[in-house]
Amino acid sequence: MIKKEIILHSKHNQRPFSADFRFMANGQSKPVILFIHGFKGFKDAMHFNAMADQIAEAGFVYVKMNLSHNGVTPDYPLDFVDLEAFANNNFTIELDDIEVMIDHISNDMLGIAKKEVDTSAIYLIGHSRGGAVAVLKACEDSRVRRLVTWAAVPDLEAFWSDSFVETWKEKGVQYIKNARTMQEMPMNYQIVEDFENNSARFTIGSQLTKLKIPFLAIHGTEDETVPVESLLMFKSFYPDVIRKKIEGGGHTFGGKHPWTETVLPEHSEQLVKETISFLKAH
């Protein structure tokens, strides 16, 4: 398998962010999958590389990217060393980062031989909040031809209670504890202002009325972070969505960080199988 790491730059302060791709060189043209991580996530977290390998082996060019303000850096890709960047992240930045990556792919800038890749066939996969952002980007960018979400958030405002936002506005910042690293991760109030200033663009329900491509939403029935009922919301927003439940699956489908296992957990195997089946059938 061919694997390569690349560095791109955000439209916001030219901040560098890393991405990587992998594929099996066999002389056949392959669609490109772009994977988007979630909140407090990064492209090499948990078992994302192991799942990337399996999906690439099935006949895809699999690209993973770090969002530019997720807190990691190209020099420290596994640690949240830049909490200032994390504090200043917002949905506009994330959507713009994905656009930079899609531009890079569609302009044949990955450096992959043309016989190996079909850059006109770009598919998005997003996990958790990355699933929500992937939905929004798929709704506004016609270059995206397929959409898959893993344990996706169906409403970007859902976790912000009125009292939480009121305190947030007063203090200018809220801190979210990272249960794994024990870091208190800051979020500046500007993310709320960004949402309010672009609420039409960021409202998943109304944006999904524009979607005209195949969409698969997968969720574990025992998701402890985003309730499986989110599948009902996606169905109400987009009646043509294909929904798949993974019985007993949690929010990460058995993944944990750091990942030291040699085989995927059962729920992740199901996740990968359903994803590949959908993308090949459509």
Side-chain angles (χ1 to χ4, degrees), residues 58-79:
F60 300 92
V61 175
Y62 197 95
V63 181
K64 298 187 283 88
M65 65 178 288
N66 277 324
L67 296 166
S68 66
H69 287 62
N70 69 343
V72 306
T73 69
D75 291 333
Y76 295 93
L78 302 179
D79 299 296

Side-chain angles (χ1 to χ4, degrees), residues 77-114:
L78 302 179
D79 299 296
F80 294 113
V81 296
D82 195 341
L83 294 184
E84 181 180 357
F86 185 91
N88 288 304
N89 190 27
N90 58 49
F91 300 122
T92 293
I93 291 174
E94 293 192 354
L95 288 169
D96 286 350
D97 289 343
I98 298 170
E99 183 174 359
V100 167
M101 189 75 246
I102 292 176
D103 287 346
H104 198 82
I105 295 168
S106 61
N107 291 331
D108 294 313
M109 296 175 69
L110 291 177
I112 301 173
K114 288 189 175 182

Side-chain angles (χ1 to χ4, degrees), residues 33-37 48 62-65 125-127 150:
I33 293 172
L34 174 57
F35 172 76
I36 313 298
H37 66 76
F48 289 157
Y62 197 95
V63 181
K64 298 187 283 88
M65 65 178 288
I125 297 177
H127 174 247
W150 297 344

Side-chain angles (χ1 to χ4, degrees), residues 75-170:
D75 291 333
Y76 295 93
L78 302 179
D79 299 296
F80 294 113
V81 296
D82 195 341
L83 294 184
E84 181 180 357
F86 185 91
N88 288 304
N89 190 27
N90 58 49
F91 300 122
T92 293
I93 291 174
E94 293 192 354
L95 288 169
D96 286 350
D97 289 343
I98 298 170
E99 183 174 359
V100 167
M101 189 75 246
I102 292 176
D103 287 346
H104 198 82
I105 295 168
S106 61
N107 291 331
D108 294 313
M109 296 175 69
L110 291 177
I112 301 173
K114 288 189 175 182
K115 66 180 180 179
E116 297 286 354
V117 60
D118 180 3
T119 55
S120 69
I122 298 175
Y123 307 160
L124 287 188
I125 297 177
H127 174 247
S128 192
R129 198 176 88 175
V133 178
V135 169
L136 294 176
K137 179 51 69 176
C139 290
E140 69 179 22
D141 195 323
S142 62
R143 294 173 295 180
V144 178
R145 304 299 179 86
R146 305 287 184 272
L147 172 64
V148 180
T149 59
W150 297 344
V153 174
D155 181 352
L156 289 172
E157 289 184 289
F159 297 109
W160 299 348
S161 68
D162 291 343
S163 60
F164 183 85
V165 172
E166 184 177 340
T167 302
W168 200 351
K169 186 175 183 178
E170 290 175 0

